[in-house]
Amino acid sequence: MMKAQRVTAILEYVKEKESVSLDELVDRFDVSKNTIRRDIQELVDEEQLIKVYGGVSISKPLTVPYQDRKIKQFHEKQTLAKLAAKFIDDGDIIFIDSGTTTVELLDFIKYKNITIVTNNLDFTLDASAYPNLNIYSTGGVFERSTRSYVGTESAEIIQKYNFNKAFMASTGLSLDKGITNSSPLETQLKAKVIQKSEQVFILVDHTKFDKYALTTYCNFDNIDYLITNQEPPQEYIRHSEQHQYEVIYPQDI
């Protein structure tokens, strides 16, 4: 591939992914990291991309509006939430992550007597109608694209809590990159939640497998359950048996 074609292809690839690591671009275009850096610099100089820690991002975020993401694959999100809710019992102290999947948990737990810590603004607002739910917010900087609270302040607050269960979302996951997220601002908080929870549940639909985003917030060794809406690729089943986490999908329930 000629340089001009490659630079154009890199731009289109980053636009599609929104944010991409340098290593992913090296793998994708089969060139050296120095070549990728030169190509990226050209796009940065043209103000078409911006550099972020460990990679690049589009200069003007093309993030799908939150409400559009909430509507997309609504049935799959409800399936994940219903499966996850079966693991929530009265008296639990749980963390509920940001995202359009985790917010669907409310429909299935709204009559339980539980304590919830969350950085998810919409979950907090919707749950306010149910006095049996004891809600704590992480606070912090408001991230509009995910309608969540993020940043150092949020991570510091998480350090004070102890959860017996955490229900986490992911932009994508892969066996070599782990559980990933596209927002570096959220990664510190997510990583801290993983450390503070006795059990960790990852909720992802089938489209998230074999994909990864800019940052990794935990590895498969850190999780207890991987919940998805259909049977995942067999290599994940084998991997779960070797690394002692359980894969849950509708056929299991």
Side-chain angles (χ1 to χ4, degrees):
M1 183 183 293
M2 301 293 290
K3 178 185 176 181
Q5 294 175 314
R6 186 177 63 249
V7 170
T8 299
I10 289 172
L11 178 59
E12 292 305 312
Y13 187 73
V14 178
K15 283 182 177 180
E16 178 185 348
K17 298 280 189 173
E18 296 189 22
S19 61
V20 180
S21 68
L22 291 181
D23 288 340
E24 183 176 352
L25 290 174
V26 168
D27 292 342
R28 175 69 175 81
F29 294 96
D30 195 26
V31 293
S32 70
K33 187 169 284 190
N34 284 336
T35 297
I36 286 294
R37 285 197 178 102
R38 288 193 294 269
D39 292 346
I40 285 172
Q41 190 60 52
E42 184 175 318
L43 291 166
V44 169
D45 292 342
E46 294 172 358
E47 297 184 350
Q48 298 198 67
L49 295 180
I50 57 173
K51 291 182 179 179
V52 295
Y53 183 77
V56 289
S57 179
I58 48 179
S59 56
K60 294 182 179 180
L62 296 174
T63 304
V64 177
Y66 180 88
Q67 288 302 321
D68 290 351
R69 297 202 311 276
K70 191 171 181 180
I71 293 169
K72 185 178 180 182
Q73 295 179 306
F74 175 75
H75 176 72
E76 287 84 352
K77 296 176 194 296
Q78 285 267 305
T79 298
L80 295 176
K82 186 175 182 179
L83 290 171
K86 292 179 181 291
F87 294 91
I88 300 175
D89 303 309
D90 285 342
D92 277 346
I93 301 172
I94 69 174
F95 181 86
I96 292 181
D97 197 9
S98 62
T100 57
T101 298
T102 48
V103 76
E104 299 300 333
L105 273 168
L106 181 61
D107 280 346
F108 304 100
I109 64 173
K110 58 190 177 184
Y111 298 121
K112 294 181 182 290
N113 293 292
I114 53 179
T115 297
I116 300 168
V117 180
T118 185
N119 64 331
N120 190 321
L121 175 62
D122 286 308
F123 186 95
T124 303
L125 295 174
D126 293 345
S128 64
Y130 304 95
N132 50 297
L133 300 178
N134 195 19
I135 308 294
Y136 292 82
S137 171
T138 63
V141 178
F142 182 58
E143 175 67 26
R144 286 175 173 79
S145 64
T146 57
R147 293 181 62 79
S148 65
Y149 291 100
V150 299
T152 304
E153 298 92 340
S154 298
E156 289 174 353
I157 288 174
I158 291 299
Q159 182 64 40
K160 301 175 183 178
Y161 291 114
N162 298 302
F163 314 111
N164 59 324
K165 297 165 188 174
F167 297 85
M168 310 298 293
S170 172
T171 307
L173 51 83
S174 69
L175 296 181
D176 60 335
K177 303 296 183 184
I179 317 299
T180 69
N181 185 60
S182 60
S183 171
L185 289 173
E186 289 188 333
T187 294
Q188 185 178 8
L189 182 146
K190 289 175 182 284
K192 186 61 67 177
V193 169
I194 300 301
Q195 294 175 15
K196 297 294 291 183
S197 184
E198 293 178 7
Q199 291 185 314
V200 176
F201 299 75
I202 304 295
L203 281 61
V204 289
D205 66 58
H206 67 281
T207 66
K208 304 294 180 62
F209 285 85
D210 292 330
K211 295 182 180 178
Y212 62 90
L214 185 60
T215 59
T216 296
Y217 71 85
C218 75
N219 296 310
F220 287 93
D221 290 339
N222 304 124
I223 75 173
D224 299 282
Y225 295 91
L226 177 60
I227 301 179
T228 188
N229 62 301
Q230 65 184 44
E231 185 174 2
Q234 283 302 305
E235 56 264 34
Y236 286 87
I237 302 293
R238 292 192 294 269
H239 188 265
S240 71
E241 294 168 351
Q242 295 166 359
H243 293 264
Q244 299 183 329
Y245 63 93
E246 188 173 350
V247 178
I248 306 292
Y249 53 96
Q251 293 87 333
D252 287 341
I253 302 299

